[in-house]
Amino acid sequence: RQVFESALQSFPEPHYLEYGIGRCDLQAGNYEEAGKRLRSALRGGVTSDALYRSLAEVYLRTGNFTAKALPVFEQQFPSRME
């Protein structure tokens, strides 16, 4: 996490670093901070399946299944909802 944080100020595409920090926070169990970082990465243009999975995991672990996790899952995996 510290490596990502130190590079954040000078990296030309910080949204990828936000994703990395969010993943570190998720692994450490810091779910609220992970959610903030992952949403920032999403707003910055990162749209990988891994980001959506991580964000859905954050919402599930924080008890936001119907309010937040389900819409993220439906957006990323529409064919699985049919």
Side-chain angles (χ1 to χ4, degrees):
R1 187 179 201 281
Q2 290 176 337
V3 171
F4 288 120
E5 286 281 351
S6 63
L8 195 57
Q9 303 303 319
S10 60
F11 199 70
E13 297 180 349
H15 45 279
Y16 289 107
L17 293 174
E18 292 284 357
Y19 169 71
I21 294 169
R23 288 288 304 151
C24 290
D25 286 332
L26 178 59
Q27 293 299 316
N30 301 325
Y31 303 121
E32 295 298 327
E33 186 63 24
K36 290 177 190 175
R37 297 297 187 155
L38 293 169
R39 284 188 299 275
S40 176
L42 186 61
R43 285 190 303 273
V46 179
T47 57
S48 69
D49 287 349
L51 181 137
Y52 283 104
R53 278 192 303 272
S54 297
L55 195 53
E57 182 177 347
V58 165
Y59 293 147
L60 290 171
R61 292 186 180 273
T62 57
N64 289 312
F65 179 72
T66 55
K68 294 183 179 181
L70 188 57
V72 169
F73 184 85
E74 288 173 337
Q75 178 182 353
Q76 186 59 19
F77 306 106
S79 64
R80 295 184 185 183
M81 298 306 294
E82 298 172 355

Coordinates of all heavy atoms in Angstrom, one line a residue:
R1 N 0.8 -1.2 0.0 CA 0.0 0.0 0.0 C 0.9 1.3 0.0 O 0.6 2.2 -0.7 CB -0.9 0.0 1.2 CG -1.9 1.1 1.2 CD -2.9 1.0 2.4 NE -4.1 1.7 2.2 CZ -4.2 3.0 2.3 NH1 -3.2 3.8 2.5 NH2 -5.4 3.6 2.1
Q2 N 1.9 1.2 0.8 CA 2.8 2.4 0.8 C 3.4 2.8 -0.5 O 3.6 3.9 -0.8 CB 3.9 2.2 1.9 CG 3.3 2.2 3.3 CD 4.4 1.9 4.3 OE1 5.4 1.3 4.0 NE2 4.1 2.3 5.6
V3 N 3.8 1.7 -1.3 CA 4.4 2.0 -2.6 C 3.4 2.7 -3.5 O 3.7 3.7 -4.2 CB 4.8 0.6 -3.2 CG1 5.2 0.8 -4.7 CG2 6.0 0.0 -2.4
F4 N 2.1 2.2 -3.5 CA 1.1 2.9 -4.3 C 0.9 4.3 -3.8 O 0.7 5.2 -4.6 CB -0.2 2.1 -4.2 CG -0.2 0.8 -4.9 CD1 -0.5 -0.4 -4.2 CD2 0.0 0.8 -6.3 CE1 -0.5 -1.6 -4.9 CE2 0.0 -0.5 -7.0 CZ -0.3 -1.6 -6.3
E5 N 0.8 4.5 -2.5 CA 0.6 5.8 -1.9 C 1.7 6.8 -2.4 O 1.4 8.0 -2.7 CB 0.5 5.8 -0.4 CG -0.8 5.2 0.1 CD -1.9 6.2 0.1 OE1 -1.7 7.4 -0.1 OE2 -3.0 5.7 0.4
S6 N 2.9 6.4 -2.3 CA 4.0 7.3 -2.6 C 4.0 7.6 -4.1 O 4.4 8.7 -4.5 CB 5.4 6.7 -2.2 OG 5.6 5.5 -2.9
A7 N 3.6 6.7 -5.0 CA 3.6 7.0 -6.4 C 2.4 7.8 -6.8 O 2.3 8.3 -7.9 CB 3.6 5.6 -7.1
L8 N 1.4 7.8 -6.0 CA 0.1 8.5 -6.4 C 0.3 9.9 -6.8 O -0.4 10.3 -7.8 CB -0.9 8.4 -5.2 CG -2.3 8.7 -5.4 CD1 -2.9 7.7 -6.5 CD2 -3.1 8.5 -4.1
Q9 N 1.1 10.7 -6.2 CA 1.3 12.1 -6.5 C 1.9 12.3 -7.9 O 1.7 13.3 -8.6 CB 2.2 12.7 -5.5 CG 1.6 12.6 -4.1 CD 0.2 13.2 -4.0 OE1 -0.1 14.2 -4.5 NE2 -0.6 12.5 -3.2
S10 N 2.8 11.4 -8.4 CA 3.5 11.6 -9.6 C 3.1 10.7 -10.8 O 3.5 10.9 -11.9 CB 5.0 11.5 -9.4 OG 5.3 10.1 -8.9
F11 N 2.3 9.8 -10.5 CA 1.9 8.8 -11.6 C 0.9 9.5 -12.5 O 0.0 10.1 -12.1 CB 1.2 7.6 -10.9 CG 1.2 6.4 -11.8 CD1 2.4 5.7 -12.1 CD2 0.0 5.9 -12.3 CE1 2.4 4.6 -12.9 CE2 0.0 4.8 -13.1 CZ 1.2 4.1 -13.4
P12 N 1.2 9.3 -13.9 CA 0.3 10.0 -14.8 C -1.2 9.5 -14.9 O -2.0 10.2 -15.3 CB 1.0 9.8 -16.2 CG 1.9 8.6 -16.0 CD 2.2 8.6 -14.5
E13 N -1.4 8.3 -14.4 CA -2.8 7.7 -14.4 C -3.1 7.2 -13.0 O -3.0 6.0 -12.8 CB -2.9 6.6 -15.5 CG -2.7 7.2 -16.9 CD -2.8 6.1 -17.9 OE1 -2.9 4.9 -17.6 OE2 -2.9 6.5 -19.1
P14 N -3.4 8.1 -12.1 CA -3.5 7.7 -10.7 C -4.7 6.8 -10.4 O -4.7 6.1 -9.4 CB -3.7 9.1 -10.0 CG -4.2 10.0 -11.0 CD -3.6 9.5 -12.3
H15 N -5.6 6.7 -11.3 CA -6.8 5.8 -11.1 C -6.3 4.3 -11.0 O -6.9 3.5 -10.3 CB -7.9 6.0 -12.1 CG -7.4 6.1 -13.5 ND1 -6.9 7.3 -14.0 CD2 -7.4 5.2 -14.5 CE1 -6.6 7.0 -15.3 NE2 -6.8 5.8 -15.6
Y16 N -5.3 4.0 -11.7 CA -4.8 2.6 -11.6 C -4.1 2.4 -10.2 O -4.2 1.3 -9.7 CB -3.8 2.3 -12.7 CG -4.4 2.2 -14.1 CD1 -4.3 3.2 -15.0 CD2 -5.2 1.1 -14.4 CE1 -4.9 3.1 -16.2 CE2 -5.9 1.0 -15.6 CZ -5.7 2.0 -16.5 OH -6.3 1.9 -17.7
L17 N -3.5 3.4 -9.7 CA -2.9 3.3 -8.3 C -4.1 3.2 -7.3 O -3.9 2.5 -6.3 CB -2.0 4.5 -8.1 CG -0.7 4.5 -8.9 CD1 0.1 5.8 -8.6 CD2 0.1 3.3 -8.6
E18 N -5.1 4.0 -7.5 CA -6.3 3.9 -6.6 C -6.8 2.5 -6.6 O -7.2 2.0 -5.5 CB -7.4 4.9 -7.1 CG -7.1 6.3 -7.0 CD -7.1 6.8 -5.6 OE1 -7.5 6.1 -4.6 OE2 -6.8 8.0 -5.4
Y19 N -6.9 1.8 -7.7 CA -7.3 0.4 -7.8 C -6.4 -0.4 -6.9 O -6.8 -1.2 -6.1 CB -7.4 -0.1 -9.2 CG -7.5 -1.6 -9.3 CD1 -8.8 -2.1 -9.0 CD2 -6.5 -2.4 -9.7 CE1 -8.9 -3.5 -9.0 CE2 -6.7 -3.8 -9.7 CZ -7.9 -4.3 -9.4 OH -8.0 -5.7 -9.4
G20 N -5.1 -0.2 -7.1 CA -4.1 -1.0 -6.3 C -4.2 -0.8 -4.8 O -4.2 -1.8 -4.0
I21 N -4.4 0.4 -4.4 CA -4.6 0.8 -3.0 C -5.9 0.1 -2.5 O -5.9 -0.4 -1.4 CB -4.6 2.3 -2.8 CG1 -3.2 2.9 -3.1 CG2 -5.0 2.6 -1.4 CD1 -3.2 4.4 -3.2
G22 N -6.9 0.2 -3.3 CA -8.2 -0.4 -2.9 C -8.1 -1.9 -2.7 O -8.6 -2.5 -1.8
R23 N -7.3 -2.6 -3.6 CA -7.1 -4.0 -3.5 C -6.3 -4.3 -2.2 O -6.6 -5.3 -1.5 CB -6.3 -4.6 -4.7 CG -7.1 -4.6 -5.9 CD -8.2 -5.7 -5.9 NE -7.6 -7.0 -5.6 CZ -8.2 -8.0 -5.0 NH1 -9.4 -7.9 -4.6 NH2 -7.5 -9.1 -4.8
C24 N -5.3 -3.5 -1.9 CA -4.6 -3.7 -0.6 C -5.5 -3.5 0.6 O -5.4 -4.3 1.5 CB -3.4 -2.7 -0.6 SG -2.1 -3.0 -1.7
D25 N -6.3 -2.5 0.5 CA -7.2 -2.2 1.7 C -8.2 -3.4 1.8 O -8.6 -3.8 2.9 CB -7.9 -0.9 1.5 CG -7.1 0.3 1.8 OD1 -6.1 0.2 2.6 OD2 -7.3 1.4 1.2
L26 N -8.7 -3.9 0.7 CA -9.6 -5.0 0.7 C -9.0 -6.2 1.4 O -9.6 -6.9 2.2 CB -10.1 -5.3 -0.7 CG -11.0 -6.5 -0.9 CD1 -12.3 -6.3 -0.1 CD2 -11.3 -6.7 -2.4
Q27 N -7.8 -6.5 1.0 CA -7.0 -7.7 1.6 C -6.8 -7.5 3.0 O -6.8 -8.5 3.8 CB -5.7 -7.9 0.8 CG -5.9 -8.4 -0.6 CD -6.7 -9.7 -0.7 OE1 -6.4 -10.6 0.0 NE2 -7.6 -9.7 -1.6
A28 N -6.6 -6.2 3.5 CA -6.3 -5.9 4.9 C -7.6 -5.9 5.7 O -7.5 -5.7 6.9 CB -5.5 -4.6 5.0
G29 N -8.8 -5.9 5.1 CA -10.0 -5.9 5.8 C -10.5 -4.4 6.0 O -11.4 -4.2 6.8
N30 N -9.9 -3.5 5.4 CA -10.3 -2.1 5.5 C -11.3 -1.8 4.4 O -11.1 -1.1 3.4 CB -9.1 -1.1 5.4 CG -8.0 -1.4 6.4 OD1 -8.3 -1.7 7.5 ND2 -6.8 -1.2 6.0
Y31 N -12.5 -2.3 4.6 CA -13.5 -2.3 3.5 C -14.0 -0.9 3.2 O -14.3 -0.6 2.0 CB -14.7 -3.2 3.9 CG -14.2 -4.6 4.2 CD1 -14.5 -5.2 5.5 CD2 -13.5 -5.3 3.3 CE1 -14.0 -6.5 5.7 CE2 -13.0 -6.6 3.6 CZ -13.3 -7.2 4.8 OH -12.8 -8.4 5.1
E32 N -14.2 0.0 4.1 CA -14.7 1.3 3.8 C -13.7 2.1 2.9 O -14.1 2.7 1.9 CB -15.0 2.1 5.1 CG -16.2 1.5 5.9 CD -17.5 1.5 5.1 OE1 -17.8 2.4 4.3 OE2 -18.3 0.6 5.3
E33 N -12.4 2.0 3.3 CA -11.4 2.7 2.5 C -11.2 2.0 1.2 O -11.0 2.7 0.2 CB -10.1 2.7 3.3 CG -9.0 3.5 2.6 CD -9.3 5.0 2.5 OE1 -10.1 5.5 3.3 OE2 -8.7 5.6 1.6
A34 N -11.3 0.7 1.1 CA -11.2 0.0 -0.1 C -12.3 0.4 -1.1 O -12.1 0.7 -2.3 CB -11.3 -1.5 0.1
G35 N -13.5 0.6 -0.5 CA -14.7 1.0 -1.4 C -14.4 2.4 -2.0 O -14.6 2.7 -3.1
K36 N -13.9 3.3 -1.1 CA -13.6 4.7 -1.6 C -12.5 4.6 -2.8 O -12.7 5.3 -3.8 CB -13.0 5.5 -0.5 CG -14.0 5.9 0.6 CD -13.4 6.7 1.7 CE -14.3 6.8 2.9 NZ -13.6 7.5 4.0
R37 N -11.5 3.8 -2.6 CA -10.4 3.8 -3.6 C -10.9 3.1 -4.9 O -10.6 3.5 -6.0 CB -9.2 3.0 -3.0 CG -8.6 3.7 -1.8 CD -8.0 5.0 -2.2 NE -7.2 5.5 -1.1 CZ -6.2 6.4 -1.2 NH1 -5.9 6.9 -2.4 NH2 -5.6 6.8 -0.1
L38 N -11.7 2.1 -4.7 CA -12.2 1.3 -5.9 C -13.2 2.2 -6.7 O -13.1 2.2 -7.9 CB -12.8 0.0 -5.5 CG -11.8 -1.0 -4.9 CD1 -12.5 -2.2 -4.3 CD2 -10.8 -1.5 -6.0
R39 N -14.0 2.9 -6.0 CA -15.0 3.8 -6.7 C -14.2 4.9 -7.4 O -14.6 5.3 -8.5 CB -16.0 4.4 -5.7 CG -17.1 3.4 -5.3 CD -18.2 4.0 -4.5 NE -17.7 4.6 -3.3 CZ -17.6 3.9 -2.1 NH1 -17.9 2.6 -2.1 NH2 -17.2 4.5 -1.0
S40 N -13.1 5.4 -6.8 CA -12.3 6.4 -7.4 C -11.7 5.9 -8.7 O -11.6 6.6 -9.7 CB -11.2 6.9 -6.4 OG -10.4 7.8 -7.1
A41 N -11.2 4.6 -8.6 CA -10.6 4.0 -9.8 C -11.7 3.9 -10.9 O -11.4 4.1 -12.1 CB -10.0 2.7 -9.5
L42 N -12.9 3.5 -10.5 CA -14.0 3.3 -11.5 C -14.3 4.7 -12.2 O -14.4 4.8 -13.4 CB -15.2 2.8 -10.8 CG -16.4 2.4 -11.6 CD1 -16.0 1.3 -12.7 CD2 -17.5 1.9 -10.8
R43 N -14.4 5.7 -11.4 CA -14.6 7.1 -11.9 C -13.5 7.5 -12.8 O -13.7 8.3 -13.8 CB -14.8 8.1 -10.8 CG -16.1 8.0 -10.1 CD -16.4 9.2 -9.1 NE -15.3 9.3 -8.1 CZ -15.3 8.7 -7.0 NH1 -16.3 7.9 -6.6 NH2 -14.3 8.9 -6.1
G44 N -12.3 7.0 -12.6 CA -11.1 7.4 -13.4 C -11.0 6.6 -14.7 O -10.2 6.9 -15.5
G45 N -11.9 5.6 -14.8 CA -11.9 4.9 -16.1 C -11.5 3.4 -16.0 O -11.5 2.7 -17.1
V46 N -11.1 2.9 -14.9 CA -10.8 1.5 -14.8 C -12.1 0.7 -14.7 O -12.9 1.0 -13.9 CB -10.0 1.2 -13.5 CG1 -9.6 -0.3 -13.4 CG2 -8.7 2.1 -13.5
T47 N -12.2 -0.2 -15.7 CA -13.5 -0.9 -15.8 C -13.3 -2.4 -15.9 O -14.1 -3.1 -16.5 CB -14.3 -0.4 -17.0 OG1 -13.5 -0.6 -18.2 CG2 -14.8 1.0 -16.8
S48 N -12.2 -2.9 -15.3 CA -11.9 -4.4 -15.5 C -12.9 -5.2 -14.6 O -13.5 -4.7 -13.7 CB -10.5 -4.6 -15.0 OG -10.4 -4.4 -13.6
D49 N -13.0 -6.5 -15.0 CA -13.8 -7.4 -14.2 C -13.3 -7.5 -12.8 O -14.1 -7.6 -11.9 CB -13.8 -8.8 -14.9 CG -14.6 -8.9 -16.1 OD1 -15.4 -7.9 -16.4 OD2 -14.5 -9.9 -16.8
A50 N -12.0 -7.4 -12.6 CA -11.4 -7.6 -11.3 C -11.8 -6.4 -10.4 O -12.1 -6.6 -9.2 CB -9.8 -7.6 -11.4
L51 N -11.9 -5.2 -11.0 CA -12.3 -4.1 -10.2 C -13.8 -4.3 -9.8 O -14.1 -4.1 -8.6 CB -12.2 -2.8 -11.0 CG -12.7 -1.5 -10.2 CD1 -11.7 -0.4 -10.4 CD2 -14.1 -1.1 -10.5
Y52 N -14.7 -4.7 -10.7 CA -16.1 -4.9 -10.3 C -16.2 -6.0 -9.3 O -17.0 -5.9 -8.4 CB -16.9 -5.2 -11.6 CG -17.2 -4.0 -12.4 CD1 -16.5 -3.7 -13.6 CD2 -18.2 -3.1 -12.0 CE1 -16.8 -2.6 -14.3 CE2 -18.5 -1.9 -12.7 CZ -17.8 -1.7 -13.9 OH -18.1 -0.6 -14.6
R53 N -15.4 -7.1 -9.4 CA -15.5 -8.1 -8.4 C -15.0 -7.6 -7.1 O -15.7 -7.9 -6.0 CB -14.6 -9.3 -8.8 CG -15.2 -10.3 -9.8 CD -14.4 -11.5 -10.0 NE -13.0 -11.3 -10.4 CZ -12.6 -11.2 -11.7 NH1 -13.5 -11.3 -12.6 NH2 -11.4 -11.0 -11.9
S54 N -14.0 -6.8 -7.0 CA -13.5 -6.3 -5.8 C -14.5 -5.4 -5.1 O -14.8 -5.4 -3.9 CB -12.2 -5.5 -6.0 OG -11.2 -6.4 -6.5
L55 N -15.1 -4.5 -6.0 CA -16.1 -3.6 -5.4 C -17.4 -4.4 -4.9 O -17.9 -4.0 -3.8 CB -16.5 -2.6 -6.5 CG -17.3 -1.4 -6.1 CD1 -16.6 -0.6 -5.0 CD2 -17.5 -0.5 -7.3
A56 N -17.8 -5.4 -5.6 CA -18.9 -6.2 -5.2 C -18.5 -6.9 -3.8 O -19.4 -6.9 -2.9 CB -19.3 -7.2 -6.2
E57 N -17.3 -7.3 -3.7 CA -16.9 -8.0 -2.5 C -16.9 -7.0 -1.3 O -17.4 -7.3 -0.2 CB -15.5 -8.5 -2.6 CG -15.0 -9.2 -1.4 CD -13.6 -9.9 -1.5 OE1 -13.1 -10.0 -2.6 OE2 -13.1 -10.3 -0.4
V58 N -16.5 -5.7 -1.5 CA -16.5 -4.7 -0.5 C -18.0 -4.5 0.0 O -18.3 -4.5 1.2 CB -16.0 -3.4 -1.0 CG1 -16.4 -2.2 -0.1 CG2 -14.5 -3.4 -1.2
Y59 N -18.9 -4.4 -1.0 CA -20.3 -4.2 -0.6 C -20.9 -5.4 0.1 O -21.6 -5.2 1.0 CB -21.1 -3.9 -1.9 CG -20.7 -2.6 -2.5 CD1 -20.8 -2.4 -3.9 CD2 -20.3 -1.5 -1.8 CE1 -20.5 -1.2 -4.5 CE2 -20.0 -0.3 -2.3 CZ -20.1 -0.1 -3.7 OH -19.8 1.1 -4.3
L60 N -20.5 -6.6 -0.3 CA -21.0 -7.8 0.4 C -20.5 -7.8 1.8 O -21.2 -8.1 2.8 CB -20.6 -9.0 -0.3 CG -21.3 -9.2 -1.7 CD1 -20.7 -10.4 -2.4 CD2 -22.8 -9.5 -1.5
R61 N -19.2 -7.5 2.0 CA -18.6 -7.6 3.3 C -19.1 -6.4 4.3 O -18.9 -6.6 5.5 CB -17.1 -7.6 3.2 CG -16.6 -8.9 2.6 CD -15.0 -8.9 2.6 NE -14.6 -10.1 2.1 CZ -14.4 -11.3 2.7 NH1 -14.7 -11.4 4.0 NH2 -13.9 -12.3 2.1
T62 N -19.6 -5.4 3.7 CA -20.1 -4.3 4.5 C -21.6 -4.3 4.6 O -22.2 -3.4 5.2 CB -19.6 -2.9 4.0 OG1 -20.1 -2.8 2.6 CG2 -18.1 -2.7 4.0
G63 N -22.2 -5.4 4.1 CA -23.7 -5.5 4.3 C -24.5 -4.7 3.4 O -25.7 -4.5 3.6
N64 N -23.9 -4.3 2.2 CA -24.6 -3.5 1.3 C -25.0 -4.3 0.0 O -24.9 -3.8 -1.1 CB -23.8 -2.3 0.8 CG -23.7 -1.2 1.9 OD1 -24.6 -0.9 2.5 ND2 -22.4 -0.8 2.2
F65 N -25.5 -5.5 0.3 CA -25.8 -6.4 -0.9 C -26.8 -5.8 -1.8 O -26.5 -5.6 -3.0 CB -26.2 -7.8 -0.4 CG -26.5 -8.7 -1.6 CD1 -25.5 -9.1 -2.4 CD2 -27.8 -9.0 -1.9 CE1 -25.7 -10.0 -3.5 CE2 -28.1 -9.8 -3.0 CZ -27.0 -10.3 -3.8
T66 N -28.0 -5.6 -1.3 CA -29.1 -5.1 -2.3 C -28.9 -3.7 -2.7 O -29.2 -3.4 -3.8 CB -30.5 -5.3 -1.6 OG1 -30.5 -4.6 -0.4 CG2 -30.8 -6.8 -1.4
A67 N -28.4 -2.9 -1.8 CA -28.2 -1.4 -2.2 C -27.1 -1.2 -3.2 O -27.2 -0.3 -4.0 CB -28.0 -0.6 -0.9
K68 N -26.0 -1.9 -3.1 CA -24.8 -1.6 -3.9 C -24.3 -2.8 -4.6 O -23.9 -2.6 -5.8 CB -23.8 -0.9 -3.0 CG -24.2 0.4 -2.4 CD -23.1 1.0 -1.6 CE -23.5 2.4 -1.1 NZ -22.4 3.1 -0.4
A69 N -24.1 -3.9 -4.0 CA -23.4 -5.0 -4.6 C -24.2 -5.6 -5.8 O -23.7 -5.8 -6.9 CB -23.2 -6.1 -3.6
L70 N -25.5 -5.7 -5.6 CA -26.3 -6.3 -6.7 C -26.3 -5.4 -8.0 O -26.1 -6.0 -9.1 CB -27.8 -6.5 -6.2 CG -28.7 -7.3 -7.2 CD1 -28.1 -8.6 -7.6 CD2 -30.0 -7.5 -6.6
P71 N -26.5 -4.1 -7.9 CA -26.4 -3.3 -9.1 C -25.0 -3.4 -9.8 O -24.9 -3.4 -11.0 CB -26.7 -1.9 -8.6 CG -27.5 -2.0 -7.4 CD -26.9 -3.3 -6.8
V72 N -23.9 -3.4 -9.0 CA -22.6 -3.6 -9.6 C -22.5 -4.9 -10.3 O -22.0 -5.0 -11.5 CB -21.5 -3.4 -8.5 CG1 -20.1 -3.9 -9.1 CG2 -21.4 -2.0 -8.0
F73 N -23.0 -6.0 -9.7 CA -22.9 -7.3 -10.3 C -23.8 -7.3 -11.6 O -23.4 -7.8 -12.6 CB -23.5 -8.3 -9.3 CG -23.3 -9.7 -9.8 CD1 -22.2 -10.4 -9.7 CD2 -24.4 -10.3 -10.5 CE1 -22.0 -11.7 -10.2 CE2 -24.3 -11.6 -11.0 CZ -23.1 -12.3 -10.8
E74 N -25.0 -6.7 -11.5 CA -25.9 -6.7 -12.7 C -25.3 -5.9 -13.9 O -25.4 -6.3 -15.0 CB -27.2 -6.1 -12.3 CG -28.1 -7.0 -11.5 CD -29.3 -6.4 -11.0 OE1 -29.4 -5.1 -10.9 OE2 -30.3 -7.1 -10.6
Q75 N -24.6 -4.9 -13.6 CA -24.0 -4.0 -14.6 C -22.8 -4.8 -15.3 O -22.7 -4.7 -16.5 CB -23.5 -2.7 -14.0 CG -22.7 -1.8 -15.0 CD -22.2 -0.6 -14.4 OE1 -22.5 -0.3 -13.2 NE2 -21.5 0.2 -15.2
Q76 N -22.0 -5.5 -14.5 CA -20.8 -6.1 -15.0 C -21.2 -7.5 -15.7 O -20.5 -7.9 -16.6 CB -19.8 -6.3 -13.9 CG -18.5 -6.8 -14.5 CD -17.8 -5.9 -15.5 OE1 -18.1 -4.8 -15.7 NE2 -16.9 -6.5 -16.3
F77 N -22.1 -8.2 -15.1 CA -22.4 -9.5 -15.6 C -23.9 -9.7 -16.0 O -24.6 -10.5 -15.4 CB -22.0 -10.5 -14.5 CG -20.6 -10.4 -14.0 CD1 -20.4 -9.8 -12.8 CD2 -19.6 -10.8 -14.8 CE1 -19.1 -9.7 -12.3 CE2 -18.3 -10.7 -14.3 CZ -18.0 -10.1 -13.1
P78 N -24.4 -8.9 -17.0 CA -25.8 -8.9 -17.3 C -26.3 -10.3 -17.8 O -27.4 -10.7 -17.5 CB -26.0 -7.9 -18.4 CG -24.6 -7.7 -18.9 CD -23.6 -8.0 -17.8
S79 N -25.4 -11.1 -18.5 CA -25.9 -12.4 -19.0 C -26.1 -13.4 -17.9 O -26.9 -14.3 -18.0 CB -24.8 -12.9 -20.0 OG -23.6 -13.2 -19.3
R80 N -25.5 -13.2 -16.7 CA -25.7 -14.1 -15.6 C -27.0 -13.9 -14.9 O -27.5 -14.7 -14.1 CB -24.6 -14.0 -14.6 CG -23.3 -14.5 -15.2 CD -22.2 -14.5 -14.2 NE -20.9 -14.8 -14.8 CZ -19.8 -14.9 -14.2 NH1 -19.8 -14.7 -12.9 NH2 -18.7 -15.2 -14.8
M81 N -27.7 -12.7 -15.1 CA -28.9 -12.4 -14.4 C -30.1 -12.9 -15.2 O -31.2 -12.8 -14.7 CB -29.0 -10.8 -14.3 CG -27.9 -10.3 -13.5 SD -27.7 -11.0 -11.8 CE -29.2 -10.5 -11.1
E82 N -30.0 -13.4 -16.4 CA -31.1 -13.9 -17.1 C -31.5 -15.3 -16.8 O -30.8 -16.1 -16.3 CB -30.8 -13.8 -18.6 CG -30.5 -12.4 -19.0 CD -30.0 -12.3 -20.5 OE1 -29.8 -13.3 -21.1 OE2 -29.9 -11.2 -20.9

